[in-house]
Each structure stands twice: as structure tokens, then as C-alpha cells.
Amino acid sequence: MQEEVDFALDAAKESMDNSVLHLERSLVKLRAGKASPEMLDGIMIEYYGASTPLKNVSSVSVVDARTITITPWEKKMVPIIEKAIFASNLGMTPQNDGIVIRLMVPPMTEERRKSLARQAKDECEHAKVSVRNARREAIEDIKKAVKGGYPEDAGKRAEEQIQKLTDSHIAAIE
């Protein structure tokens, strides 16, 4: 019985940690007016018949706070990469000189700031829901263990541990 409860606690902690990590990765990808190579992480390129991440077919670097340069390893990839950037709806227009592709990150406007705030809030809410779902599943597992003969007071202590874990992860998200 104790193993089941310990497993439920460990699974909940791992799931909550993954939710926070996923949130961090999602927030890095938001285009907040400052150039970052992570903004291009989701872009896939058709490379010799296989869908390949952009960073595997080119060098992505930040020249200054508002400019990203993409240097493909093969010149013939320039139009393919340019087309993939257009298709990704980043809100940036690539400029190429035949060798290097440049992306200029547009300045922040009031409307864009509000949009980013909404996006960030939505991402945080999704992470909180994920943490709460992990808590719910762990508590269900603990209640099953109590019905199966696990001591009730030990079950309550385990539920309190889950709640403390949940509270700490929600605080980290906020």
C-alpha cells in the first residue's frame, strides 16, 4: 500500500514539474519584441523528403536585439526556409540576399503588448489546470489505497503533501 501512495506522490510531482517546464518553454517562444533564436524552434523544413527542424539545416543567430539571421548550410535551402517562415505565421517578413536570411522583429505596440499579456495568461492557466489535474489524479489514487486498507490518517497526510506540492507549483507558475 505504501508503495502505491509513494508512486502517486512521485507521479504527481513529476507531472507538475513537467507542467512548469512546458510553461517556461512556451513563454520563451512568445515574440515579445526582442529577437531570440527560440522563436524559430517550431519551424520545420522539408529537407530531402523529411521534415526537419530549422536549426538542423542552418545556423540561427541573433545579430542585435531586433535582428535574427539564418545561414543555411546549403544555398539551395534559402527559398525553402523562406517559404517555411512565411507559412509559420510569425508575423515577420524574411529578407534574403541569396546566402543569409534576416528577420527583423517589429517593435512592440500597445495592441501587441495586450495580445502578449493575454497569451501569457492563457499559457499560465493551461499550466495551472495541468497541475490541478495531477493533484486530482494523485488524490484519487490515495483514496483507492485507503479503501484498499491503507491507514486513513496516513492517507490524509499524503493528501496534505499533494496539496503543498500543488500550492508550490501554482506559486511557481504565477
Side-chain angles (χ1 to χ4, degrees):
M1 289 290 160
Q2 183 63 41
E3 296 88 29
E4 292 175 21
V5 172
D6 289 342
F7 179 75
L9 287 169
D10 291 342
K13 180 172 179 7
E14 184 178 344
S15 178
M16 290 177 190
D17 288 343
N18 287 339
S19 297
V20 172
L21 187 62
H22 178 57
L23 173 67
E24 289 171 357
R25 288 183 184 144
S26 297
L27 292 178
V28 164
K29 290 181 183 178
L30 287 180
R31 187 171 61 87
K34 185 176 179 198
S36 166
E38 288 85 16
M39 296 165 87
L40 306 175
D41 279 353
I43 297 177
M44 300 300 276
I45 306 297
E46 197 63 35
Y47 187 65
Y48 292 109
S51 189
T52 310
L54 175 65
K55 63 183 176 184
N56 291 358
V57 297
S58 63
S59 170
V60 179
S61 59
V62 176
V63 178
D64 58 41
R66 300 172 44 95
T67 308
I68 299 173
T69 59
I70 304 164
T71 309
W73 294 325
E74 298 176 23
K75 279 187 181 181
K76 70 177 185 167
M77 295 302 296
V78 171
I80 297 169
I81 291 172
E82 197 172 23
K83 205 177 287 182
I85 292 170
F86 273 123
S88 69
N89 290 327
L90 281 177
M92 294 184 274
T93 304
Q95 302 168 346
N96 92 53
D97 60 6
I99 299 170
V100 175
I101 298 171
R102 287 181 184 75
L103 292 173
M104 304 299 201
V105 179
M108 292 290 285
T109 62
E110 185 65 29
E111 181 181 319
R112 181 69 183 148
R113 274 190 202 70
K114 288 178 182 177
S115 171
L116 279 175
R118 270 193 307 275
Q119 263 183 299
K121 186 177 178 182
D122 289 345
E123 291 290 338
C124 288
E125 196 54 44
H126 287 299
K128 287 179 187 179
V129 167
S130 180
V131 167
R132 291 183 194 119
N133 285 340
R135 175 188 62 192
R136 181 182 40 80
E137 290 169 8
I139 288 177
E140 286 174 3
D141 291 343
I142 292 169
K143 286 183 179 179
K144 285 179 189 174
V146 168
K147 283 184 181 177
Y150 189 71
E152 241 181 87
D153 55 338
K156 290 289 182 195
R157 282 193 297 274
E159 286 182 22
E160 288 172 7
Q161 282 181 305
I162 293 284
Q163 187 59 48
K164 286 179 185 174
L165 199 58
T166 301
D167 293 342
S168 69
H169 282 82
I170 294 289
I173 288 170
E174 290 176 353

